[in-house]
Amino acid sequence: MPIKLLPKCPVCSEDKIFFDAGETASCHLCGVRFEAYDTCQNGHYVCPMCRQKNTRQAIIAHCLKSPQRQPLPLVLELMELPEVAMHGPEHHLLLAAALLTAYAHEKNKTEDLPKLLDEANVRSLGVPGGACGAWGICGAAVSSGIYMSILTEASPYSEDEWKITGQLTARCGHVISREGGPRCCKRDTFLSLIEATAYSNAVLDTHFDVPDSIVCAFYPNNRECKRTACAFFPVRARE
Ligand SMILES: [Zn+2]
Ligand SMILES: [Zn+2]
């Protein structure tokens, strides 16, 4: 797999070129000028807000055409999309979107899926990149909570739904934080997925596979990979 520290250019799919120092550049999509640290080989610069919008549209479009009834294969497909970076706040949508899609297929509620995905997108946009360090709760944990909140229609005023949703977010946050940093959006999504599938089967009567082993294919792209200290690091790469 090629090294994918940043996704390819969202305009022309060319590779990126990195600058040692920031250079003023106009976003090719919104026209606003920013200090840029990369463009593509054709000179396109896309600002973080436009990149995030483009990436989220790609995640939702993939979910809407996917027949997947199981969250893990769909999570892996979404992580492989060229728009999805190794790390980034798109993971705060990615997990909820995969869970909602698998749920909608299992329960024959695909007509609701566009609305469910739109709601997950809006909610997850409120969780910034780096919330793991800044807030003490990983966005991949919140993503499981968003999934559960949407389906149980939890609100600040509900009782059981409020509890069910908070318990899932807390469980995910617990297993993620237990690993210690530095953050990895892949590892943390896998950990949250394992918790969310088991919990969903218990409270929403889904029949999701609860993965007991996931082999990470993304570690070559992660400069901060914990390698043998990560449960998802491939055995074949352990030498
Ligand atoms: Zn380009
Ligand atoms: Zn822009």
Side-chain angles (χ1 to χ4, degrees):
M1 185 191 298
I3 299 294
K4 196 175 77 168
L5 294 175
L6 275 177
K8 291 184 181 279
C9 174
V11 180
C12 70
S13 299
E14 270 297 333
D15 287 337
K16 300 236 184 182
I17 299 167
F18 298 91
F19 309 141
D20 291 335
E23 293 183 14
T24 305
S26 297
C27 172
H28 186 80
L29 299 178
C30 70
V32 177
R33 289 170 75 76
F34 289 89
E35 180 154 277
Y37 286 85
D38 63 78
T39 65
C40 81
Q41 294 180 356
N42 292 323
H44 300 127
Y45 169 71
V46 176
C47 76
M49 283 78 83
C50 288
R51 188 190 80 73
Q52 195 56 213
K53 186 176 168 195
N54 182 68
T55 301
R56 285 164 177 267
Q57 284 171 343
I59 289 171
I60 290 171
H62 187 90
C63 286
L64 288 174
K65 65 177 170 32
S66 169
Q68 278 292 355
R69 296 168 68 94
Q70 289 295 337
L72 176 61
L74 184 49
V75 159
L76 295 175
E77 287 172 19
L78 294 173
M79 287 177 172
E80 296 278 4
L81 291 176
E83 292 86 355
V84 173
M86 176 66 213
H87 307 297
E90 58 264 44
H91 293 82
H92 305 170
L93 168 65
L94 191 152
L95 178 57
L99 289 163
L100 287 167
T101 303
Y103 177 91
H105 285 131
E106 181 179 327
K107 304 290 185 185
N108 290 318
K109 291 185 174 175
T110 47
E111 72 279 6
D112 297 338
L113 190 55
K115 208 167 129 236
L116 298 173
L117 294 172
D118 185 56
E119 182 65 22
N121 186 41
V122 169
R123 294 192 191 188
S124 63
L125 277 169
V127 186
C132 51
W135 293 0
I137 183 77
C138 169
V142 178
S143 197
S144 286
I146 288 172
Y147 158 71
M148 190 57 66
S149 170
I150 289 173
L151 291 182
T152 59
E153 300 182 4
S155 82
Y157 304 102
S158 45
E159 295 182 1
D160 285 347
E161 298 83 0
W162 191 94
K163 176 180 175 180
I164 289 167
T165 297
Q167 285 282 302
L168 176 57
T169 308
R171 286 180 187 209
C172 295
H174 175 68
V175 297
I176 290 169
S177 62
R178 199 170 54 187
E179 296 298 312
R183 65 81 181 87
C184 172
C185 293
K186 293 335 189 220
R187 178 194 72 220
D188 300 342
T189 298
F190 294 151
L191 289 166
S192 191
L193 168 75
I194 292 167
E195 290 299 308
T197 47
Y199 194 78
S200 185
N201 291 348
V203 305
L204 294 177
D205 194 30
T206 50
H207 297 83
F208 292 156
D209 294 337
V210 181
D212 55 10
S213 68
I214 300 172
V215 179
C216 179
F218 303 95
Y219 72 91
N221 303 328
N222 182 11
R223 279 177 290 207
E224 298 93 21
C225 178
K226 290 160 75 85
R227 298 182 71 85
T228 53
C230 175
F232 309 117
F233 192 68
V235 172
R236 61 176 164 72
R238 285 178 184 261
E239 294 306 304

